Amino acid sequence: MAEMSAVDELTKLFNRRYFVEALEGEYERAIRYGTEMALIMMDLDYFKVINDTYGHLAGDMVLSKIGNLLNTHVRRNDLACRYGGEEFAVILPSVSKESTYAAYDRFREKVFAQPFEYESKQFSITVSIGIAYSNSAESINDLLAHADQALYQAKEENRNKIVTYIADSKSCD
């Protein structure tokens, strides 16, 4: 029963409620021990077009497949979740900026290379990704806002890209 309340049925990833609780704990741990953690926010590009063109069952198939790809991509102590709709989030404790960017650029490429097929119709999908780090935030709300701001910028810049929030300039790169 506890697992059912923490796991998204479609993607088999943790749900938003579980994610928020875990984020609080990981953020506090990073601050307490002076380590760096990353928060990844990602959104499937033009997902509404998939639902409108192929139907909601095709959309569900895409979400399920993306959940599986993400679950096999994350490290053992990372936490991946379905944040809502076609949005996903990953908490990465104890990371370096370079390895995080490289790992999620590989994930972005993996999603783009993944063939999707529904009722003999083939299509592809891309993902936009925003990254923020605990040292850029004074609170969990800041961390979420920074990751969201980076994600929004990735979507504004033609999608299918990664943007990292830069704390010093209050902008993204």
Side-chain angles (χ1 to χ4, degrees), residues 87-145:
E87 290 185 312
F88 297 85
V90 183
I91 300 168
L92 299 92
S94 303
V95 295
S96 75
K97 289 181 167 99
E98 297 79 21
S99 64
T100 301
Y101 187 94
Y104 282 85
D105 197 40
R106 284 192 306 274
F107 180 76
R108 183 191 57 76
E109 290 171 354
K110 187 186 294 188
V111 169
F112 180 67
Q114 175 68 49
F116 292 91
E117 184 174 331
Y118 186 77
E119 294 184 347
S120 302
K121 295 175 183 140
Q122 294 188 338
F123 55 93
S124 62
I125 194 159
T126 59
V127 63
S128 295
I129 299 173
I131 304 174
Y133 294 92
S134 56
N135 68 354
S136 74
E138 294 181 20
S139 69
I140 294 167
N141 288 338
D142 280 351
L143 185 61
L144 283 164

Short mmCIF file of all heavy atoms in Angstrom, two decimals, residues 87-145:
data_model
loop_
_atom_site.label_atom_id
_atom_site.label_comp_id
_atom_site.label_asym_id
_atom_site.label_seq_id
_atom_site.Cartn_x
_atom_site.Cartn_y
_atom_site.Cartn_z
N GLU A 87 6.18 15.98 -17.38
CA GLU A 87 7.37 16.49 -16.71
C GLU A 87 7.95 15.43 -15.77
O GLU A 87 7.20 14.73 -15.08
CB GLU A 87 7.05 17.75 -15.90
CG GLU A 87 6.74 18.95 -16.75
CD GLU A 87 6.54 20.19 -15.90
OE1 GLU A 87 5.79 20.11 -14.91
OE2 GLU A 87 7.12 21.22 -16.25
N PHE A 88 9.27 15.39 -15.75
CA PHE A 88 9.99 14.46 -14.90
C PHE A 88 11.04 15.24 -14.10
O PHE A 88 11.47 16.31 -14.52
CB PHE A 88 10.69 13.38 -15.75
CG PHE A 88 9.73 12.53 -16.52
CD1 PHE A 88 9.24 12.94 -17.75
CD2 PHE A 88 9.28 11.33 -16.00
CE1 PHE A 88 8.33 12.16 -18.46
CE2 PHE A 88 8.38 10.54 -16.70
CZ PHE A 88 7.90 10.96 -17.94
N ALA A 89 11.44 14.70 -12.97
CA ALA A 89 12.46 15.33 -12.15
C ALA A 89 13.38 14.25 -11.60
O ALA A 89 12.97 13.12 -11.38
CB ALA A 89 11.81 16.10 -11.00
N VAL A 90 14.63 14.65 -11.39
CA VAL A 90 15.62 13.74 -10.81
C VAL A 90 16.40 14.49 -9.75
O VAL A 90 16.85 15.62 -9.98
CB VAL A 90 16.60 13.18 -11.87
CG1 VAL A 90 17.56 12.18 -11.25
CG2 VAL A 90 15.86 12.57 -13.04
N ILE A 91 16.56 13.87 -8.59
CA ILE A 91 17.39 14.39 -7.52
C ILE A 91 18.70 13.61 -7.56
O ILE A 91 18.69 12.38 -7.52
CB ILE A 91 16.72 14.20 -6.14
CG1 ILE A 91 15.37 14.92 -6.10
CG2 ILE A 91 17.64 14.66 -5.03
CD1 ILE A 91 14.52 14.54 -4.89
N LEU A 92 19.81 14.33 -7.65
CA LEU A 92 21.13 13.70 -7.72
C LEU A 92 21.98 14.17 -6.54
O LEU A 92 22.52 15.29 -6.57
CB LEU A 92 21.84 14.06 -9.03
CG LEU A 92 21.18 13.62 -10.31
CD1 LEU A 92 20.29 14.70 -10.86
CD2 LEU A 92 22.23 13.24 -11.31
N PRO A 93 22.12 13.36 -5.51
CA PRO A 93 22.98 13.74 -4.39
C PRO A 93 24.46 13.61 -4.77
O PRO A 93 24.82 12.79 -5.61
CB PRO A 93 22.62 12.75 -3.28
CG PRO A 93 21.68 11.77 -3.87
CD PRO A 93 21.42 12.12 -5.28
N SER A 94 25.30 14.43 -4.17
CA SER A 94 26.75 14.34 -4.32
C SER A 94 27.20 14.23 -5.77
O SER A 94 27.60 13.17 -6.24
CB SER A 94 27.29 13.14 -3.52
OG SER A 94 26.93 13.25 -2.17
N VAL A 95 27.14 15.34 -6.48
CA VAL A 95 27.47 15.34 -7.90
C VAL A 95 28.50 16.42 -8.24
O VAL A 95 28.73 17.33 -7.46
CB VAL A 95 26.22 15.58 -8.77
CG1 VAL A 95 25.23 14.46 -8.65
CG2 VAL A 95 25.58 16.92 -8.45
N SER A 96 29.05 16.31 -9.42
CA SER A 96 29.85 17.39 -10.00
C SER A 96 29.06 17.94 -11.18
O SER A 96 28.31 17.21 -11.83
CB SER A 96 31.21 16.88 -10.46
OG SER A 96 31.09 16.14 -11.65
N LYS A 97 29.25 19.22 -11.45
CA LYS A 97 28.51 19.86 -12.54
C LYS A 97 28.83 19.23 -13.90
O LYS A 97 27.95 19.02 -14.71
CB LYS A 97 28.82 21.36 -12.57
CG LYS A 97 28.19 22.09 -11.40
CD LYS A 97 28.48 23.58 -11.47
CE LYS A 97 27.62 24.32 -10.51
NZ LYS A 97 28.21 24.68 -9.26
N GLU A 98 30.11 18.92 -14.11
CA GLU A 98 30.52 18.38 -15.41
C GLU A 98 29.89 17.01 -15.66
O GLU A 98 29.37 16.75 -16.74
CB GLU A 98 32.05 18.27 -15.49
CG GLU A 98 32.77 19.60 -15.39
CD GLU A 98 32.88 20.13 -13.96
OE1 GLU A 98 32.77 19.34 -12.99
OE2 GLU A 98 33.06 21.35 -13.82
N SER A 99 29.95 16.13 -14.67
CA SER A 99 29.41 14.79 -14.87
C SER A 99 27.89 14.81 -14.99
O SER A 99 27.31 14.03 -15.75
CB SER A 99 29.85 13.84 -13.75
OG SER A 99 29.32 14.25 -12.51
N THR A 100 27.23 15.71 -14.28
CA THR A 100 25.77 15.82 -14.36
C THR A 100 25.35 16.26 -15.75
O THR A 100 24.47 15.65 -16.37
CB THR A 100 25.24 16.79 -13.31
OG1 THR A 100 25.61 16.33 -12.01
CG2 THR A 100 23.73 16.91 -13.38
N TYR A 101 25.99 17.30 -16.25
CA TYR A 101 25.64 17.79 -17.59
C TYR A 101 25.87 16.69 -18.62
O TYR A 101 25.00 16.43 -19.47
CB TYR A 101 26.45 19.05 -17.93
CG TYR A 101 25.99 19.68 -19.22
CD1 TYR A 101 25.06 20.70 -19.21
CD2 TYR A 101 26.47 19.24 -20.46
CE1 TYR A 101 24.60 21.28 -20.39
CE2 TYR A 101 26.02 19.80 -21.64
CZ TYR A 101 25.10 20.82 -21.60
OH TYR A 101 24.64 21.37 -22.77
N ALA A 102 27.02 16.05 -18.57
CA ALA A 102 27.35 15.01 -19.55
C ALA A 102 26.35 13.85 -19.48
O ALA A 102 25.89 13.35 -20.52
CB ALA A 102 28.77 14.50 -19.32
N ALA A 103 25.99 13.44 -18.27
CA ALA A 103 25.05 12.31 -18.11
C ALA A 103 23.68 12.64 -18.67
O ALA A 103 23.06 11.81 -19.34
CB ALA A 103 24.93 11.93 -16.64
N TYR A 104 23.21 13.85 -18.45
CA TYR A 104 21.87 14.19 -18.93
C TYR A 104 21.86 14.63 -20.39
O TYR A 104 20.82 14.55 -21.04
CB TYR A 104 21.16 15.13 -17.95
CG TYR A 104 20.69 14.24 -16.83
CD1 TYR A 104 21.52 13.91 -15.77
CD2 TYR A 104 19.47 13.58 -16.93
CE1 TYR A 104 21.15 12.99 -14.81
CE2 TYR A 104 19.08 12.65 -15.98
CZ TYR A 104 19.92 12.36 -14.93
OH TYR A 104 19.54 11.43 -14.01
N ASP A 105 23.03 15.00 -20.91
CA ASP A 105 23.10 15.20 -22.35
C ASP A 105 23.01 13.83 -23.04
O ASP A 105 22.35 13.71 -24.08
CB ASP A 105 24.38 15.93 -22.74
CG ASP A 105 24.31 16.50 -24.14
OD1 ASP A 105 23.23 17.02 -24.53
OD2 ASP A 105 25.32 16.41 -24.87
N ARG A 106 23.63 12.81 -22.46
CA ARG A 106 23.49 11.45 -23.00
C ARG A 106 22.04 11.00 -22.93
O ARG A 106 21.53 10.37 -23.86
CB ARG A 106 24.39 10.46 -22.25
CG ARG A 106 25.85 10.55 -22.61
CD ARG A 106 26.65 9.39 -22.06
NE ARG A 106 26.51 9.17 -20.63
CZ ARG A 106 27.22 9.79 -19.68
NH1 ARG A 106 28.14 10.68 -20.02
NH2 ARG A 106 27.02 9.52 -18.41
N PHE A 107 21.35 11.32 -21.83
CA PHE A 107 19.95 10.94 -21.71
C PHE A 107 19.12 11.65 -22.78
O PHE A 107 18.27 11.04 -23.42
CB PHE A 107 19.40 11.25 -20.31
CG PHE A 107 17.95 10.88 -20.17
CD1 PHE A 107 17.58 9.56 -20.03
CD2 PHE A 107 16.96 11.84 -20.21
CE1 PHE A 107 16.25 9.19 -19.93
CE2 PHE A 107 15.62 11.49 -20.11
CZ PHE A 107 15.26 10.16 -19.97
N ARG A 108 19.36 12.93 -22.98
CA ARG A 108 18.65 13.70 -24.00
C ARG A 108 18.84 13.06 -25.38
O ARG A 108 17.88 12.88 -26.13
CB ARG A 108 19.15 15.15 -24.01
CG ARG A 108 18.43 16.08 -24.97
CD ARG A 108 19.16 17.41 -25.12
NE ARG A 108 20.54 17.25 -25.56
CZ ARG A 108 20.90 16.98 -26.82
NH1 ARG A 108 19.99 16.85 -27.77
NH2 ARG A 108 22.17 16.85 -27.14
N GLU A 109 20.06 12.68 -25.68
CA GLU A 109 20.35 12.02 -26.96
C GLU A 109 19.67 10.65 -27.05
O GLU A 109 19.19 10.26 -28.12
CB GLU A 109 21.86 11.87 -27.15
CG GLU A 109 22.55 13.20 -27.40
CD GLU A 109 24.07 13.11 -27.39
OE1 GLU A 109 24.62 12.03 -27.08
OE2 GLU A 109 24.70 14.14 -27.69
N LYS A 110 19.64 9.93 -25.93
CA LYS A 110 19.00 8.61 -25.90
C LYS A 110 17.50 8.73 -26.20
O LYS A 110 16.94 7.92 -26.94
CB LYS A 110 19.21 7.96 -24.53
CG LYS A 110 18.74 6.53 -24.43
CD LYS A 110 18.84 5.97 -23.02
CE LYS A 110 20.24 5.86 -22.53
NZ LYS A 110 20.32 5.15 -21.23
N VAL A 111 16.87 9.74 -25.63
CA VAL A 111 15.44 9.96 -25.89
C VAL A 111 15.22 10.27 -27.37
O VAL A 111 14.33 9.70 -28.01
CB VAL A 111 14.87 11.09 -25.01
CG1 VAL A 111 13.47 11.51 -25.46
CG2 VAL A 111 14.85 10.67 -23.54
N PHE A 112 16.04 11.15 -27.93
CA PHE A 112 15.89 11.52 -29.35
C PHE A 112 16.10 10.31 -30.26
O PHE A 112 15.42 10.17 -31.28
CB PHE A 112 16.88 12.63 -29.70
CG PHE A 112 16.80 13.05 -31.14
CD1 PHE A 112 15.67 13.69 -31.62
CD2 PHE A 112 17.85 12.81 -32.00
CE1 PHE A 112 15.58 14.07 -32.96
CE2 PHE A 112 17.76 13.20 -33.33
CZ PHE A 112 16.63 13.83 -33.81
N ALA A 113 17.03 9.42 -29.89
CA ALA A 113 17.33 8.25 -30.72
C ALA A 113 16.32 7.12 -30.53
O ALA A 113 16.29 6.18 -31.33
CB ALA A 113 18.74 7.74 -30.39
N GLN A 114 15.49 7.20 -29.51
CA GLN A 114 14.53 6.14 -29.20
C GLN A 114 13.37 6.16 -30.19
O GLN A 114 12.63 7.14 -30.26
CB GLN A 114 13.98 6.33 -27.78
CG GLN A 114 12.90 5.37 -27.37
CD GLN A 114 13.42 3.95 -27.23
OE1 GLN A 114 14.42 3.71 -26.58
NE2 GLN A 114 12.74 3.02 -27.84
N PRO A 115 13.19 5.09 -30.95
CA PRO A 115 12.03 5.06 -31.86
C PRO A 115 10.75 4.73 -31.08
O PRO A 115 10.76 3.88 -30.20
CB PRO A 115 12.38 3.93 -32.84
CG PRO A 115 13.31 3.05 -32.09
CD PRO A 115 14.04 3.92 -31.09
N PHE A 116 9.70 5.43 -31.39
CA PHE A 116 8.40 5.16 -30.81
C PHE A 116 7.48 4.70 -31.93
O PHE A 116 7.54 5.22 -33.04
CB PHE A 116 7.82 6.41 -30.15
CG PHE A 116 8.56 6.84 -28.92
CD1 PHE A 116 9.61 7.74 -29.01
CD2 PHE A 116 8.23 6.33 -27.68
CE1 PHE A 116 10.30 8.13 -27.88
CE2 PHE A 116 8.92 6.72 -26.55
CZ PHE A 116 9.95 7.62 -26.65
N GLU A 117 6.64 3.73 -31.61
CA GLU A 117 5.69 3.24 -32.61
C GLU A 117 4.36 2.98 -31.92
O GLU A 117 4.30 2.37 -30.85
CB GLU A 117 6.19 1.95 -33.26
CG GLU A 117 5.28 1.48 -34.38
CD GLU A 117 5.84 0.29 -35.13
OE1 GLU A 117 7.08 0.15 -35.20
OE2 GLU A 117 5.03 -0.50 -35.64
N TYR A 118 3.32 3.47 -32.56
CA TYR A 118 1.97 3.23 -32.06
C TYR A 118 1.06 2.97 -33.25
O TYR A 118 0.99 3.80 -34.17
CB TYR A 118 1.46 4.43 -31.24
CG TYR A 118 0.14 4.15 -30.59
CD1 TYR A 118 0.07 3.35 -29.45
CD2 TYR A 118 -1.03 4.65 -31.14
CE1 TYR A 118 -1.15 3.07 -28.87
CE2 TYR A 118 -2.25 4.36 -30.55
CZ TYR A 118 -2.30 3.57 -29.41
OH TYR A 118 -3.50 3.30 -28.83
N GLU A 119 0.41 1.83 -33.26
CA GLU A 119 -0.47 1.41 -34.35
C GLU A 119 0.20 1.60 -35.71
O GLU A 119 -0.33 2.24 -36.62
CB GLU A 119 -1.80 2.15 -34.27
CG GLU A 119 -2.60 1.77 -33.04
CD GLU A 119 -3.98 2.41 -32.99
OE1 GLU A 119 -4.26 3.34 -33.78
OE2 GLU A 119 -4.78 1.95 -32.15
N SER A 120 1.40 1.06 -35.83
CA SER A 120 2.21 1.07 -37.06
C SER A 120 2.66 2.46 -37.50
O SER A 120 3.17 2.63 -38.60
CB SER A 120 1.46 0.40 -38.22
OG SER A 120 1.12 -0.92 -37.88
N LYS A 121 2.50 3.46 -36.66
CA LYS A 121 2.98 4.80 -36.97
C LYS A 121 4.21 5.08 -36.12
O LYS A 121 4.17 4.91 -34.90
CB LYS A 121 1.90 5.84 -36.70
CG LYS A 121 0.70 5.67 -37.61
CD LYS A 121 -0.39 6.61 -37.24
CE LYS A 121 -1.59 6.33 -38.14
NZ LYS A 121 -2.84 6.39 -37.45
N GLN A 122 5.29 5.48 -36.77
CA GLN A 122 6.53 5.75 -36.06
C GLN A 122 6.72 7.25 -35.88
O GLN A 122 6.36 8.04 -36.76
CB GLN A 122 7.70 5.15 -36.82
CG GLN A 122 7.66 3.64 -36.84
CD GLN A 122 8.93 3.05 -37.41
OE1 GLN A 122 9.66 3.72 -38.14
NE2 GLN A 122 9.19 1.80 -37.08
N PHE A 123 7.30 7.60 -34.75
CA PHE A 123 7.59 9.00 -34.47
C PHE A 123 8.72 9.07 -33.45
O PHE A 123 9.09 8.07 -32.85
CB PHE A 123 6.34 9.74 -33.96
CG PHE A 123 5.68 9.11 -32.77
CD1 PHE A 123 6.01 9.51 -31.48
CD2 PHE A 123 4.72 8.12 -32.92
CE1 PHE A 123 5.39 8.94 -30.38
CE2 PHE A 123 4.10 7.53 -31.83
CZ PHE A 123 4.45 7.95 -30.55
N SER A 124 9.25 10.25 -33.27
CA SER A 124 10.29 10.46 -32.26
C SER A 124 9.86 11.61 -31.37
O SER A 124 8.91 12.32 -31.67
CB SER A 124 11.64 10.75 -32.92
OG SER A 124 11.56 11.93 -33.68
N ILE A 125 10.59 11.76 -30.29
CA ILE A 125 10.27 12.82 -29.34
C ILE A 125 11.59 13.36 -28.80
O ILE A 125 12.61 12.67 -28.82
CB ILE A 125 9.34 12.31 -28.22
CG1 ILE A 125 8.74 13.47 -27.45
CG2 ILE A 125 10.05 11.34 -27.30
CD1 ILE A 125 7.48 13.12 -26.70
N THR A 126 11.57 14.59 -28.35
CA THR A 126 12.74 15.19 -27.73
C THR A 126 12.39 15.65 -26.32
O THR A 126 11.22 15.72 -25.96
CB THR A 126 13.27 16.38 -28.56
OG1 THR A 126 12.23 17.37 -28.68
CG2 THR A 126 13.72 15.93 -29.95
N VAL A 127 13.43 15.97 -25.56
CA VAL A 127 13.23 16.40 -24.19
C VAL A 127 14.09 17.64 -23.92
O VAL A 127 15.22 17.75 -24.40
CB VAL A 127 13.58 15.25 -23.20
CG1 VAL A 127 15.04 14.86 -23.28
CG2 VAL A 127 13.19 15.60 -21.78
N SER A 128 13.51 18.58 -23.20
CA SER A 128 14.23 19.77 -22.75
C SER A 128 14.54 19.57 -21.27
O SER A 128 13.70 19.04 -20.52
CB SER A 128 13.40 21.03 -22.94
OG SER A 128 13.18 21.25 -24.31
N ILE A 129 15.73 20.03 -20.86
CA ILE A 129 16.20 19.74 -19.50
C ILE A 129 16.75 21.01 -18.85
O ILE A 129 17.52 21.75 -19.47
CB ILE A 129 17.29 18.65 -19.53
CG1 ILE A 129 16.72 17.35 -20.12
CG2 ILE A 129 17.88 18.43 -18.13
CD1 ILE A 129 17.75 16.26 -20.35
N GLY A 130 16.35 21.23 -17.60
CA GLY A 130 16.90 22.31 -16.78
C GLY A 130 17.62 21.70 -15.59
O GLY A 130 17.14 20.75 -14.99
N ILE A 131 18.78 22.26 -15.26
CA ILE A 131 19.58 21.78 -14.13
C ILE A 131 19.83 22.92 -13.17
O ILE A 131 20.20 24.02 -13.58
CB ILE A 131 20.94 21.21 -14.59
CG1 ILE A 131 20.76 20.11 -15.63
CG2 ILE A 131 21.75 20.70 -13.40
CD1 ILE A 131 22.06 19.60 -16.24
N ALA A 132 19.66 22.64 -11.88
CA ALA A 132 20.02 23.61 -10.83
C ALA A 132 20.77 22.86 -9.74
O ALA A 132 20.57 21.66 -9.55
CB ALA A 132 18.78 24.29 -10.26
N TYR A 133 21.60 23.59 -9.01
CA TYR A 133 22.42 22.99 -7.96
C TYR A 133 22.10 23.62 -6.61
O TYR A 133 21.73 24.79 -6.53
CB TYR A 133 23.90 23.16 -8.28
CG TYR A 133 24.30 22.38 -9.51
CD1 TYR A 133 24.27 22.98 -10.77
CD2 TYR A 133 24.64 21.05 -9.42
CE1 TYR A 133 24.59 22.26 -11.90
CE2 TYR A 133 24.97 20.32 -10.56
CZ TYR A 133 24.95 20.93 -11.78
OH TYR A 133 25.26 20.21 -12.91
N SER A 134 22.28 22.82 -5.57
CA SER A 134 21.93 23.26 -4.22
C SER A 134 22.70 24.51 -3.80
O SER A 134 22.18 25.32 -3.04
CB SER A 134 22.17 22.13 -3.21
OG SER A 134 23.50 21.66 -3.28
N ASN A 135 23.93 24.69 -4.28
CA ASN A 135 24.70 25.87 -3.86
C ASN A 135 24.17 27.16 -4.48
O ASN A 135 24.62 28.24 -4.14
CB ASN A 135 26.18 25.68 -4.16
CG ASN A 135 26.49 25.65 -5.64
OD1 ASN A 135 25.60 25.67 -6.48
ND2 ASN A 135 27.77 25.60 -5.96
N SER A 136 23.20 27.05 -5.40
CA SER A 136 22.62 28.24 -6.02
C SER A 136 21.33 28.67 -5.33
O SER A 136 20.72 29.64 -5.73
CB SER A 136 22.32 27.98 -7.50
OG SER A 136 21.19 27.13 -7.63
N ALA A 137 20.95 27.92 -4.30
CA ALA A 137 19.62 28.14 -3.71
C ALA A 137 19.69 28.35 -2.21
O ALA A 137 20.48 27.71 -1.52
CB ALA A 137 18.73 26.94 -4.02
N GLU A 138 18.82 29.22 -1.72
CA GLU A 138 18.72 29.45 -0.28
C GLU A 138 17.61 28.63 0.35
O GLU A 138 17.46 28.61 1.56
CB GLU A 138 18.51 30.94 -0.01
CG GLU A 138 19.71 31.77 -0.40
CD GLU A 138 19.52 33.24 -0.11
OE1 GLU A 138 18.65 33.60 0.72
OE2 GLU A 138 20.25 34.05 -0.72
N SER A 139 16.83 27.96 -0.50
CA SER A 139 15.73 27.13 -0.01
C SER A 139 15.36 26.12 -1.08
O SER A 139 15.81 26.23 -2.23
CB SER A 139 14.51 27.99 0.33
OG SER A 139 13.94 28.51 -0.86
N ILE A 140 14.53 25.17 -0.71
CA ILE A 140 14.03 24.20 -1.68
C ILE A 140 13.20 24.90 -2.75
O ILE A 140 13.30 24.56 -3.93
CB ILE A 140 13.20 23.11 -0.98
CG1 ILE A 140 14.11 22.29 -0.08
CG2 ILE A 140 12.52 22.20 -1.97
CD1 ILE A 140 13.37 21.40 0.87
N ASN A 141 12.43 25.88 -2.35
CA ASN A 141 11.63 26.62 -3.33
C ASN A 141 12.52 27.32 -4.35
O ASN A 141 12.19 27.37 -5.53
CB ASN A 141 10.70 27.62 -2.64
CG ASN A 141 9.56 26.92 -1.93
OD1 ASN A 141 9.21 25.79 -2.24
ND2 ASN A 141 8.98 27.60 -0.95
N ASP A 142 13.65 27.89 -3.88
CA ASP A 142 14.61 28.50 -4.80
C ASP A 142 15.15 27.46 -5.77
O ASP A 142 15.26 27.71 -6.97
CB ASP A 142 15.80 29.10 -4.04
CG ASP A 142 15.52 30.45 -3.44
OD1 ASP A 142 14.46 31.04 -3.72
OD2 ASP A 142 16.38 30.93 -2.68
N LEU A 143 15.53 26.30 -5.24
CA LEU A 143 16.10 25.24 -6.06
C LEU A 143 15.11 24.82 -7.15
O LEU A 143 15.47 24.70 -8.32
CB LEU A 143 16.50 24.05 -5.19
CG LEU A 143 17.22 22.90 -5.89
CD1 LEU A 143 18.53 23.36 -6.52
CD2 LEU A 143 17.48 21.78 -4.89
N LEU A 144 13.87 24.61 -6.77
CA LEU A 144 12.83 24.27 -7.75
C LEU A 144 12.64 25.39 -8.78
O LEU A 144 12.53 25.12 -9.97
CB LEU A 144 11.50 23.98 -7.04
CG LEU A 144 11.39 22.64 -6.35
CD1 LEU A 144 10.23 22.63 -5.36
CD2 LEU A 144 11.25 21.52 -7.37
N ALA A 145 12.62 26.63 -8.31
CA ALA A 145 12.44 27.77 -9.22
C ALA A 145 13.61 27.88 -10.19
O ALA A 145 13.41 28.16 -11.38
CB ALA A 145 12.28 29.06 -8.42
#
